[in-house]
Amino acid sequence: MNSVVVQQPQQLALVARPMPEPAQGEVRIKVLRAGICGSDIHIFHGSNPFAKYPRVIGHEFFGVIDAVGEGVLATRLGQRVVVDPVVSCGHCYPCSVGRPNVCKTLQVIGVHRDGGFSQYSCVPEGNAYELPAEIPDEEAALIEPFTIAANICEQLQPTPLDVALVYGAGPMGLTVVQALRGVYGVEKIVVTDRIPERLQMAQENGADLLVDNSVIDLPTYLAEQGISPTLIVDAACHPTILPQAIALASPAARIGIMGFSSDECVINQQLITSKEITIVSSRLNRRRFPQVIQWCQDKKIQPRKLITHTYSYQQVEQAMALFEKDQKSCCKVVLTF
Ligand code: NAI
Ligand code: MN
Ligand code: ZN
């Protein structure tokens, strides 16, 4: 079988590997589709602090169970499944309070251990969620990115009364916009980005107001419109954004951050406390796959809208280069196996 392997930073190769055998408690998945994510690009360039090499990348994938390890029921054979990349110990403090996504010995499939850009991949059976027949293959690889949105939304508790501001109209910003609109019924959603084509996509995914903050000063624009955001999501993740979000936020607002920048940013406690702002961070997902599968079944989200390109895994280099360099035309790029 073939796997997409980052041998070491900057060295990507299609490698023939022996067929993997599922260990005890694991299932083997014949992979059908996998989405490319910014973190795959970071592992490729050596800029992901958690990755070890060589590594089979890919953590947004879907396929069919074709073998089971010891202790796994044979009834799982043939199931169409999506994979939760979060592998946790189950007994440390974060695990015991329901937060396996920040397990002390967290292993992310495709980052800390081999992932889904492979014709076959073995994962713990509890990480493989059966996909109902009515959800098509095309949408399946998009479930994982929506679990990121589900996780941050769970913490922010959006309501129809909210006026939301979303920074960034990349895949993460757009999944959040779809969830705010389709799942939580948020009345007004403002999206800011610096790429007009991406703002256009934000509109197609449910945004009401679009602000290109490379040409328009966002605080001035919001003041002119009389908008004081009550819910802010930073899905652009530049360290200058949180201080601005705190300044723009309404009293009693919630702000969600998801960035991994190690650069410092200076924030003002008076602005936070005087408005009693809640700031939450969100990493990956805590068992949100069933919830997002339900969102798909209820047609509350439209994952397909985010897919701009599909390539065979044999063209992975071309697909990753396009995804990285052409943010104007790309949202989600999906590989088929
Ligand atoms: P992306 O790079 O495709 O999208 C980011 C967008 O933000 C781009 O369209 C860019 O033009 C825009 N942007 C950059 N600076 C801006 C600014 N100052 N104001 C407004 N817009 C700005 O990335 P993607 O895949 O959408 O991910 C977004 C971020 O989320 C990344 O930093 C990534 O590391 C992070 N992330 C966090 C996860 C978590 O679980 N916490 C999971 C996945 C991604
Ligand atoms: Mn991802
Ligand atoms: Zn743990």
Side-chain angles (χ1 to χ4, degrees):
M1 66 136 192
N2 291 322
S3 301
V4 177
V5 181
V6 179
Q7 308 272 29
Q8 49 174 290
Q10 313 297 359
Q11 244 187 65
L12 187 84
L14 270 181
V15 178
R17 288 187 156 191
M19 192 74 155
E21 290 306 325
Q24 184 176 7
E26 287 188 344
V27 294
R28 184 174 69 200
I29 297 168
K30 179 177 171 27
V31 178
L32 295 175
R33 275 165 208 263
I36 298 175
C37 175
S39 56
D40 298 312
I41 306 290
H42 286 301
I43 296 171
F44 175 43
H45 290 318
S47 52
N48 181 309
F50 312 111
K52 298 268 182 301
Y53 301 89
R55 177 61 64 241
V56 176
I57 52 175
H59 58 271
E60 305 176 0
F61 62 107
F62 152 77
V64 175
I65 295 179
D66 87 321
V68 296
E70 200 189 315
V72 180
L73 292 177
T75 49
R76 298 220 59 183
L77 288 166
Q79 281 185 0
R80 297 166 72 239
V81 292
V82 280
V83 177
D84 183 345
V86 172
V87 179
S88 53
C89 79
H91 51 72
C92 68
Y93 172 75
C95 281
S96 65
V97 295
R99 295 170 67 176
N101 51 325
V102 286
C103 171
K104 285 187 175 173
T105 53
L106 175 69
Q107 296 263 305
V108 181
I109 296 173
V111 181
H112 303 85
R113 53 189 273 167
D114 282 345
F117 288 3
S118 184
Q119 288 182 300
Y120 293 85
S121 176
C122 293
V123 306
E125 76 149 333
N127 287 65
Y129 287 89
E130 187 172 19
L131 199 66
E134 66 260 40
I135 301 178
D137 288 11
E138 291 74 48
E139 294 191 348
L142 273 290
I143 303 232
E144 193 276 341
F146 275 96
T147 64
I148 311 280
N151 208 69
I152 199 164
C153 284
E154 178 67 22
Q155 302 196 60
L156 293 168
Q157 292 292 322
T159 79
L161 289 178
D162 278 310
V163 175
L165 169 62
V166 178
Y167 285 88
M172 280 304 113
L174 297 181
T175 54
V176 168
V177 168
Q178 279 204 22
L180 292 178
R181 169 81 352 116
V183 178
Y184 297 94
V186 169
E187 271 299 314
K188 185 173 272 182
I189 304 173
V190 185
V191 176
T192 184
D193 201 297
R194 28 192 60 174
I195 302 174
E197 289 82 356
R198 286 201 150 182
L199 287 170
Q200 176 66 36
M201 278 199 84
Q203 186 168 37
E204 290 158 13
N205 282 279
D208 304 295
L209 286 172
L210 313 168
V211 183
D212 181 339
N213 64 351
S214 68
V215 292
I216 293 170
D217 181 57
L218 179 67
T220 308
Y221 173 84
L222 293 179
E224 280 167 7
Q225 302 287 317
I227 293 172
S228 146
T230 61
L231 186 151
I232 303 178
V233 177
D234 177 9
C237 305
H238 190 275
T240 55
I241 291 173
L242 179 59
Q244 183 180 73
I246 290 168
L248 291 174
S250 155
R254 293 90 74 214
I255 300 175
I257 60 173
M258 55 203 308
F260 287 94
S261 169
S262 59
D263 292 346
E264 287 176 10
C265 72
V266 177
I267 56 176
N268 175 325
Q269 292 189 38
Q270 188 180 83
L271 285 175
I272 300 171
T273 310
S274 61
K275 296 192 278 188
E276 207 177 56
I277 291 168
T278 303
I279 302 175
V280 301
S281 66
S282 180
R283 181 173 189 188
L284 302 166
N285 86 95
R286 26 181 126 137
R287 307 256 181 271
R288 302 256 170 249
F289 275 70
Q291 182 182 7
V292 172
I293 289 169
Q294 192 64 50
W295 290 358
C296 289
Q297 284 187 286
D298 297 343
K299 307 257 185 288
K300 289 182 170 167
I301 52 171
Q302 284 88 42
R304 216 187 289 232
K305 275 191 174 170
L306 301 184
I307 303 172
T308 52
H309 299 78
T310 304
Y311 285 90
S312 156
Y313 78 93
Q314 279 124 332
Q315 298 164 289
V316 60
E317 273 191 85
Q318 194 187 337
M320 284 176 62
L322 179 92
F323 174 81
E324 183 182 358
K325 302 204 171 82
D326 191 1
Q327 290 201 319
K328 287 183 184 173
S329 79
C330 282
C331 184
K332 267 291 160 198
V333 177
V334 173
L335 300 174
T336 57
F337 286 82

